[in-house]
Amino acid sequence: MTTDSIRQVAVLGAGNMGAGIAAQVANAGLPVLLLDLTRDIAEKGKQGLLERKPAPLMSPAALDLIRTGGFDDDLSRLVEADWIVEVVVERLPVKQALFERVEHARRPGSIVSSNTSGIRLSEITAGLPASFAADFLITHFFNPPRYMGLLELVAGPSTRPQVLETLREFCAVRLGKEVVEARDTPSFIGNRIGVVAMLAGVQAALELGLTVEQADAIAGKPIGWPGTGVFGLIDLVGLDVLADVARNMQGQLPASDSAQALLKLPPLLSTMLERGWIGRKAGGGFYRLTADRQREALDLSTLDYRPQQKADLPGAKARTPAELLAGSDLGAQFAWRLLGYSLSYTAAVAPEIASDLVGIDTAMREGYSWRWGPFELLDQIGPARVVERIKADGLPIPALLQTALTRGDGRFYREAVDGPQYLDFQGDYRPLPRPAGTLAVADLRRGGKPVLGNDSASLWDMGDGVGLLEFHTKMNALDEHTVELMLLTLDRVGRDFQALVIGNDAAHFCAGANLQRMLDAARSGDWAFLNGFIQSLQEALMGFKYAPFPVVGAPRGLALGGGCEVVLHCNALQAHAELNAGLVELRVGLLPAGGGTKEMTLRYQDVGVERGFDLILGSVVSQSAANARDMRLLTDGCAITMHRKRVLADAKTLARRMVGAYSPARPVVVNLPGLAGRAALEARVAAQVKAGKMTIHDAVVADHVAAVMTGGKGGEVTEHELLRLEREHFLELLRLPLSQARMEHMLATGKPLRN
């Protein structure tokens, strides 16, 4: 079996999770059969995908890949499915009864899995045929399936190895998941550690008398957890869900497990459950919004709601976990009680729940959005310091922590000559595993120096005749040094390589041009610099578009403003499925001047430029690569990669494939309507202003955009003439105090100013 052998999927259960899994399969372009008790229930789950937020579907068109049916009438259709995933209620008898029916209906050799979050595989397969157990495993998706990267796979002693391998590769490559293999233990990895950590935070906050705001301020950015902290996260997950998982763990873990004391919910949580204060889905938990949208927080001592307060603990300003724990204030004490117990517990149970610590770290980063996994966090703080504090508290030292100090070099991860390594449970360092089909700039960096480079960008040799242009400023913003390296790259690749990939390892491809640099130049009157910068950027991007070699963009994360313009000028794209791309210059009082306005003009010629005009005026950002294709930011020939770590490798493969048959395009000439077309676009803008949907300065910027997109005086217009118009109108807008005010506000607050 291979990943290609899974061509059709069936999902049993059309609730939020089941429909969400079906949506992600459809996002990958595969047909999926969604079944529930009745076809009507399944159809309701399917149609609900269009209403849910955040959107489970990357494009509404993916809905057409989902077919629906009922268990009684349509279970026989399971014979068509290569993988059947069950997502019904978390009750063992219900699951086993359904699987008995599935065994009779499915095709022999098809893969079957359960999406259970806590029922052990050995319990599910008990009493079921050996043929079923051989094809069965657990696939624990995290909710919502599209956005949470983690997928825990649990195989049993009877599971065929090729079943595990096929599903692991399929879920990584086709569904974009970070797959972690967990052992068949209570709540597996993510929830075993995550629930214990949350409950440790609740207990510590209650014992120290912290407010929910104080606890969440510490248990957020300072320790590398999401901004929700402890109590905000419980509201997000749902106190009822937390309680169910805790009860399940309490019943399955041995009495000797140190977490047992935490798993018995404190009276506070029991009272909140009785009152239905379970979190956001119920209108409130530890936080709630009043009728007039004012945020309130729960007073933990009185159980009354009051206006949310600002946290006033010094530790909330700590820049690192080590700095936080070095303090002595109430926040530092809370952080130690939370982290000291959580990290110690993780080290103690690690060999029981996973085959290595890498999987545990991955599970917590991808499943709970921790910035660092537990062992990465231990390295941040220093294992020796943690051991000293545990000893001072009179608590036992987990064997794995002792191993790190006695057999290792005092760290769980280290850099070796041949690459990064991790400490295994026996005390030996092993190479950090890298799945096949992945590539990182960090690999190239370890191998030597770049071919070209400066403080803003570098050109690397990817091998096989392919160069890689990497931006590496803050948020990969474009400045004059980036553009300089772009131009040098065009010359060097033309001489020494056959193709070029533009990409990086960062979370975001490029957030646009360096706004601060442009604002400073405008206020100092350095118009020669600004004109030269824009002209050079246009030259570089046109060089990419018409290069004698293929240029493949590899965008992931944000590709905004100038970053989007880089994307628009690549010959082909290998984009991450969750691409957020758009021309957002209107937010800062400007227009796209790196060829973005030109490209929207060219790409919407067949239907009229109004649609491209509206995208620029609305600063519309794609919510996926499929959405970016709908916006014509990606063309039909561009490819999409579901797993973000595979984007660069896939881009290199695409570039190599293009080399043999590549021939550069020719610059185009378009016929534009000129002043008459500009007047029509300005009328659209005037109507928006009158309706209160645009401000006066929005209209000013829009008029400049209209002037470019209609070709100035009109008639036959070349791409270079459109670029000249872009540059002229960009500089005019940059001189305006209202545009400069927008730029300043964005830099100061990260939010647009509607002036």
Side-chain angles (χ1 to χ4, degrees):
M1 298 175 72
T2 66
T3 55
D4 291 335
S5 65
I6 298 181
R7 299 179 181 177
Q8 293 195 56
V9 177
V11 178
L12 310 181
N16 280 351
M17 178 62 89
I21 293 172
Q24 187 66 1
V25 174
N27 288 335
L30 275 74
V32 55
L33 175 64
L34 180 62
L35 301 181
D36 210 301
L37 290 173
T38 67
R39 182 185 297 274
D40 287 345
I41 294 174
E43 189 64 27
K44 183 178 180 181
K46 171 184 173 178
Q47 296 303 324
L49 293 170
L50 296 172
E51 308 298 327
R52 282 164 54 183
K53 301 294 182 184
L57 295 168
M58 294 179 180
S59 168
L63 196 70
D64 295 337
L65 289 168
I66 302 175
R67 299 166 297 148
T68 58
F71 291 156
D72 290 339
D73 296 331
D74 300 290
L75 211 60
S76 61
R77 294 164 64 186
L78 293 183
V79 72
E80 307 167 8
D82 304 303
W83 172 29
I84 302 161
V85 54
E86 166 272 314
V87 201
V88 299
V89 64
E90 284 282 85
R91 295 176 187 166
L92 182 59
V94 174
K95 291 179 183 291
Q96 288 184 317
L98 180 58
F99 281 134
E100 287 178 1
R101 299 176 65 186
V102 168
E103 177 65 1
H104 291 295
R106 74 185 181 102
R107 188 177 69 251
S110 59
I111 299 173
V112 185
S113 72
S114 172
N115 186 61
T116 178
S117 62
I119 302 176
R120 298 173 67 172
L121 182 146
S122 56
E123 295 177 297
I124 295 175
T125 55
L128 290 167
S131 58
F132 177 86
D135 295 331
F136 180 78
L137 35 63
I138 285 172
T139 47
H140 180 210
F141 287 82
F142 276 60
N143 203 20
R146 173 183 168 186
Y147 299 96
M148 298 304 293
L150 178 62
L151 171 66
E152 292 179 325
L153 281 186
V154 182
S158 300
T159 306
R160 291 184 293 126
Q162 62 193 116
V163 167
L164 175 63
E165 180 62 27
T166 296
L167 206 55
R168 178 173 54 223
E169 287 298 305
F170 176 83
C171 291
V173 176
R174 299 302 301 272
L175 301 188
K177 294 296 153 193
E178 200 67 54
V179 178
V180 170
E181 292 181 38
R183 300 196 193 280
D184 190 18
T185 56
S187 296
F188 315 127
I189 299 174
N191 285 344
R192 176 77 171 269
I193 297 169
V195 167
V196 167
M198 284 191 283
L199 291 175
V202 171
Q203 177 177 286
L206 292 174
E207 290 177 352
L208 292 170
L210 269 65
T211 66
V212 294
E213 297 97 329
Q214 289 173 327
D216 285 349
I218 297 296
K221 186 177 180 181
I223 67 170
W225 283 17
T228 52
V230 171
F231 294 105
L233 179 58
I234 295 174
D235 276 358
L236 180 62
V237 171
L239 179 56
D240 55 336
V241 174
L242 176 69
D244 283 344
V245 177
R247 278 192 291 266
N248 179 65
M249 289 172 61
Q250 189 177 24
Q252 293 193 4
L253 291 176
S256 59
D257 193 291
S258 69
Q260 286 285 8
L262 287 172
L263 296 172
K264 184 179 180 181
L265 300 184
L268 165 71
L269 299 188
S270 298
T271 300
M272 292 178 68
L273 283 169
E274 293 169 1
R275 296 181 181 183
W277 297 353
I278 59 174
R280 296 185 186 182
K281 61 187 176 185
F286 291 102
Y287 298 94
R288 73 177 185 183
L289 290 177
T290 63
D292 58 352
R293 309 297 293 175
Q294 298 300 307
R295 190 169 166 86
E296 293 184 331
L298 187 68
D299 186 307
L300 298 179
S301 59
T302 66
L303 288 189
D304 293 323
Y305 284 99
R306 52 159 175 74
Q308 183 173 335
Q309 301 170 351
K310 185 177 180 180
D312 54 357
L313 297 176
K317 299 178 182 178
R319 293 166 295 180
T320 65
E323 179 185 325
L324 171 61
L325 292 174
S328 58
D329 71 299
L330 202 58
Q333 296 174 44
F334 169 71
W336 171 246
R337 292 202 189 188
L338 166 59
L339 290 178
Y341 180 78
S342 302
L343 297 179
S344 177
Y345 183 76
T346 301
V349 303
E352 172 195 341
I353 65 177
S355 59
D356 57 47
L357 58 85
V358 177
I360 294 174
D361 280 345
T362 301
M364 300 317 295
R365 287 196 312 270
E366 300 294 333
Y368 274 77
S369 300
W370 290 12
R371 183 177 179 185
W372 304 287
F375 295 98
E376 294 167 325
L377 194 50
L378 279 163
D379 278 354
Q380 286 271 330
I381 301 165
R385 291 181 59 194
V386 173
V387 167
E388 288 175 8
R389 293 196 67 165
I390 294 175
K391 285 181 178 178
D393 290 344
L395 298 173
I397 309 300
L400 190 54
L401 278 173
Q402 292 280 26
T403 298
L405 298 181
T406 57
R407 296 193 58 182
D409 63 3
R411 297 182 66 80
F412 290 100
Y413 294 92
R414 70 180 186 183
E415 278 291 335
V417 175
D418 55 350
Q421 298 177 332
Y422 74 95
L423 188 72
D424 69 15
F425 294 147
Q426 290 71 46
D428 298 316
Y429 284 100
R430 298 184 180 277
L432 196 65
R434 176 177 293 279
T438 63
L439 178 67
V441 182
D443 300 330
L444 305 178
R445 189 172 290 113
R446 278 190 292 269
K449 296 181 179 180
V451 178
L452 297 169
N454 58 30
D455 290 342
S456 299
S458 298
L459 173 66
W460 299 91
D461 185 348
M462 298 180 84
D464 301 316
V466 182
L468 172 68
L469 177 60
E470 175 204 18
F471 306 147
H472 45 67
T473 56
K474 183 178 180 181
M475 292 294 287
N476 294 323
L478 307 177
D479 59 19
E480 65 269 31
H481 306 298
T482 316
V483 174
E484 177 188 18
L485 210 287
M486 288 181 182
L487 294 170
L488 291 173
T489 291
L490 283 164
D491 176 65
R492 189 62 173 265
V493 173
R495 291 187 284 114
D496 296 344
F497 296 90
Q498 296 174 301
L500 176 68
V501 170
I502 305 176
N504 52 63
D505 289 347
H508 302 298
F509 178 74
C510 175
N514 187 322
L515 204 59
Q516 187 69 63
R517 183 76 177 93
M518 289 193 293
L519 180 60
D520 290 344
R523 287 184 166 167
S524 65
D526 195 350
W527 300 105
F529 163 77
L530 289 164
N531 183 70
F533 170 69
I534 297 299
Q535 191 164 10
S536 296
L537 175 61
Q538 292 176 338
E539 179 186 348
L541 296 186
M542 286 290 281
F544 291 149
K545 184 175 182 179
Y546 296 112
F549 48 82
V551 177
V552 178
R556 58 188 185 186
L558 298 178
L560 303 179
C564 183
E565 290 174 311
V566 174
V567 167
L568 290 170
H569 286 83
C570 293
N571 309 137
L573 295 172
Q574 187 76 46
H576 182 228
E578 297 290 1
L579 176 65
N580 301 129
L583 298 168
V584 297
E585 284 84 352
L586 181 130
R587 296 179 184 177
V588 291
L590 303 172
L591 58 73
T597 311
K598 164 186 72 75
E599 284 299 310
M600 287 295 97
T601 304
L602 300 181
R603 295 185 183 207
Y604 281 94
Q605 275 296 292
D606 60 327
V607 294
V609 299
E610 292 85 1
R611 172 64 175 148
F613 181 72
D614 290 343
L615 290 174
I616 293 175
L617 264 57
S619 295
V620 179
V621 176
S622 70
Q623 298 307 300
S624 67
N627 184 208
R629 179 173 285 155
D630 294 339
M631 294 165 59
R632 300 193 178 185
L633 302 178
L634 276 65
T635 60
D636 289 339
C638 293
I640 295 174
T641 295
M642 292 293 284
H643 196 299
R644 62 178 293 110
K645 291 181 181 177
R646 295 175 179 265
V647 173
L648 283 182
D650 288 350
K652 178 185 175 182
T653 300
L654 175 58
R656 288 294 310 149
R657 193 164 60 242
M658 292 176 66
V659 168
Y662 177 76
S663 59
R666 299 172 62 88
V668 299
V669 178
V670 291
N671 200 295
L672 297 174
L675 296 177
R678 179 176 179 178
L681 292 179
E682 288 175 348
R684 290 166 64 89
V685 172
Q688 294 277 56
V689 173
K690 185 176 181 180
K693 297 180 179 179
M694 294 182 70
T695 69
I696 296 298
H697 195 57
D698 287 338
V700 171
V701 179
D703 289 347
H704 284 273
V705 175
V708 177
M709 296 191 77
T710 53
K713 294 181 179 179
E716 290 191 345
V717 182
T718 67
E719 287 188 69
H720 285 286
E721 288 170 331
L722 283 173
L723 290 172
R724 176 185 56 79
L725 287 169
E726 274 189 1
R727 191 165 64 251
E728 290 176 356
H729 285 275
F730 177 89
L731 293 173
E732 286 183 34
L733 286 168
L734 192 51
R735 293 176 184 272
L736 300 179
L738 288 178
S739 287
Q740 292 182 14
R742 286 193 175 193
M743 297 168 71
E744 184 174 37
H745 189 269
M746 180 65 76
L747 288 166
T749 68
K751 298 177 181 179
L753 175 66
R754 297 299 305 277
N755 58 357

